[in-house]
C-alpha cells in the first residue's frame, strides 16, 4: 500500500508557509507537527516583526522584495487584516559608518530606496540624539502582523486538507533498508514518505536526524518593549542605526528595541533572558533617546536566529536520503521571506525541483557535498 503522507516538523512560519503552499499545489495529505501547545511560540513568536526589504545580501534582498509583494497583496481570503503596517523603514548612520550603509544600498540597486541626509528622521523624531548623517528610506516597508500571517498560512493549509497536531514531539527519522519510512514521536511512530524539517533552532540537534544532520547554529537575540510613552507616535518609522547595532520602532504604545546581540547558544539556552544584554539595550537607548532614559521596561525576551555556515537559507531536498527535505536556517529574515521560502519548498516536494532563480543557491546539497 502506498503511503503518500508528508510530515512537516515545526509549526513556526517556515513549516506553516510550506504547508500552505503544498496544499495550494494540490498535495493534501500533509501533517504539520508541533511540540508546543500553540503554533508559532518559538522564533516566530519572539521576533521584531520588521519587514525590511533592503538586506545587504542581494539574494535575500530579492527574496524579501518578492515576499513583500505577497504581504502587500495576499491571496483572497488569506487574512481580514492588513498584513503590513507600512510606517517605512530607515537605515541611518553616523558619517563614519556611511560607507557601510551605502554599500548595502549599492548592492541592491533594484530596491526602491530613497537616500539622503538624516534630516527627515529628525523632523519625525525630534528627541533622537544628533549625530546621524545619512539615511536610506523604504516607504512601503514597516511592521508585519505576524499572528495574522501565521494564521493565514495555517488556516489556508487546513482548509485544503492539511492536519495540524500540537503537543507532539518529533524524536527521530525512521529509516528501513535505506528508505525513509516515517518518524518516531512522543506519540509513537508516524508513517510518511516525505519529511520536511522546519523546526527552527532544533534543526541543529544532529542526534534527531539518524546520520543525516546539517550544520545549523542558533544565535540568541534580545528584544524589549518599554512602558507606554506619550511622546511616542505610533506612526514613527522603524529606525535601524547601522554600525551601532541598535534599532527601535513603536509597539503597544511604547518602543520595541534591540541591541542586535548575536550569542551562540543551544536551543535550550535561546529563550533564557540575560540581564546584562538588557542593560546594553538600555545603554544604547539612553544614548540615542536621552529623554526616554528613565522609561520602564514593560516586557523583555529573547529568541533564536538560526544559520547555516554560509548564512544562506536551506530549502529543498536532501540529496542523501529520498523523501527528506529542509526548510531551515532562516536566520533573521524568516518572517519577511516565508512566502517565497514556502513556495520554493513546495515546488521541490511536488515537482522535484524549483525553477526559482534562488532555489539552487538555497539547496541543501551545498552542505552535504563535502561531507
Ligand atoms: C530577536 C529576533 C528578532 C527577529 N526579527 C525579525 C524581523 O524583524 N523580521 C524577520 O523577518 N525575521 C526576524 N527574526 C527571524 C525570524 O523570527 C525567524 O527567521 C523565523 O521565525 C524562523 O521561523 P521557523 O519556523 O524556522 O522557526 P520557529 O519559529 O522557531 O519554528 C520552529 C518550530 O518547530 C518546533 N519544534 C522544534 N523542535 C521540534 C520537535 N522536535 N518536534 C516538534 N516540533 C518542534 C518549535 O516548537 C517551533 O514552533 C528575528 C528573530 C529574533 C530571534
Amino acid at each position: 500500500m502506498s503511503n503518500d503522507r508528508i510530515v512537516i516538523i515545526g509549526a513556526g512560519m517556515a513549516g506553516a508557509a510550506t504547508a500552505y503552499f503544498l496544499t495550494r499545489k494540490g498535495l493534501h495529505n500533509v501533517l504539520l507537527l508541533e511540540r508546543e501547545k500553540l503554533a508559532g511560540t518559538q522564533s516566530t513568536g519572539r521576533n521584531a516583526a520588521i519587514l525590511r526589504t533592503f538586506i545587504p545580501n542581494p539574494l535575500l534582498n530579492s527574496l524579501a522584495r518578492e515576499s513583500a509583494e505577497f504581504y502587500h497583496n495576499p491571496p483572497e481570503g488569506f487574512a481580514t487584516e492588513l498584513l503590513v503596517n507600512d510606517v517605512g523603514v530607515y537605515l541611518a548612520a553616523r558619517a563614519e559608518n556611511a560607507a557601510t550603509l551605502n554599500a548595502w544600498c549599492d548592492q541592491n540597486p533594484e530596491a526602491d530606496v530613497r537616500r539622503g541626509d538624516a534630516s527627515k528622521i529628525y523632523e519625525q523624531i525630534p528627541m533622537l540624539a544628533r549625530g546621524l548623517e545619512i539615511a536610506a528610506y523604504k516607504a512601503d516597508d514597516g511592521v508585519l502582523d505576524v499572528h495574522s500571517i501565521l494564521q493565514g498560512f495555517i488556516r489556508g493549509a487546513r482548509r485544503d486538507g492539511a492536519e495540524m497536531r500540537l503537543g507532539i514531539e518529533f524524536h527521530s527519522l525512521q529509516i528501513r533498508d535505506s528508505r525513509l519510512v516515517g518518524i518516531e514521536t512522543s506519540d509513537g511512530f508516524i508513517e510518511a514518505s516525505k519529511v520536511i524539517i522546519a523546526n527552527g533552532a532544533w534543526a541543529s540537534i544532529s542526534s534527531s536526524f539518524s546520520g543525516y544532520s546539517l550544520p545549523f547554529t542558533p544565535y540568541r537575540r534580545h528584544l524589549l518593549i518599554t512602558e507606554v510613552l506619550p511622546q511616542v507616535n505610533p506612526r514613527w518609522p522603524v529606525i535601524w542605526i547601522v554600525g551601532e547595532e541598535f534599532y527601535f520602532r513603536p509597539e503597544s504604545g511604547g518602543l520595541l528595541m534591540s541591541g542586535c546581540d548575536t550569542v551562540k547558544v543551544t536551543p535550550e539556552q535561546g529563550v533564557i533572558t540575560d540581564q546584562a544584554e538588557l542593560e546594553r539595550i538600555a545603554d544604547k537607548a539612553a544614548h540615542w533617546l536621552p529623554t526616554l532614559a528613565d522609561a520602564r521596561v514593560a516586557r523583555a525576551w529573547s529568541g533564536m536566529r538560526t544559520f547555516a555556515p554560509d548564512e544562506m537559507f536551506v530549502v529543498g531536498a536532501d540529496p542523501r536520503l529520498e523523501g527528506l527535505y529542509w526548510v531551515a536556517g532562516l536566520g533573521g529574515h524568516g518572517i519577511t521571506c516565508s512566502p517565497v521560502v514556502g513556495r520554493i519548498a513546495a515546488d521541490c516536494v511536488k515537482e522535484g525541483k524549483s525553477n526559482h532563480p534562488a532555489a539552487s543557491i538555497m539547496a541543501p546539497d551545498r552542505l552535504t557535498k563535502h561531507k
Side-chain angles (χ1 to χ4, degrees), residues 9-14 33-36 42-44 46-50 168-170 198-200 202 221 223 247 303-305 330-336:
I9 315 292
M13 203 58 97
L33 206 71
E34 169 57 48
R35 180 177 51 198
E36 307 283 345
Q42 290 297 334
S43 300
T44 294
R46 297 171 163 271
N47 61 79
I50 296 169
I168 297 182
E169 183 169 23
F170 158 75
N199 62 348
W202 287 266
R221 176 160 291 181
L223 292 171
Y247 65 78
M304 285 171 282
R305 303 173 315 129
L330 304 187
H333 304 288
I335 307 301
T336 298

Side-chain angles (χ1 to χ4, degrees), residues 3 5 7 9 170 172-176 179-185 188-195 208 210 321-324:
N3 162 40
R5 184 189 284 134
V7 175
I9 315 292
F170 158 75
S172 60
L173 297 174
Q174 292 297 298
I175 297 160
R176 284 185 209 135
R179 278 186 49 247
L180 180 64
V181 293
I183 57 170
E184 197 54 48
T185 74
F189 175 71
I190 296 178
E191 195 178 11
S193 60
K194 294 184 170 63
V195 177
S208 309
S210 313
L321 182 64
E322 195 178 339
L324 176 62

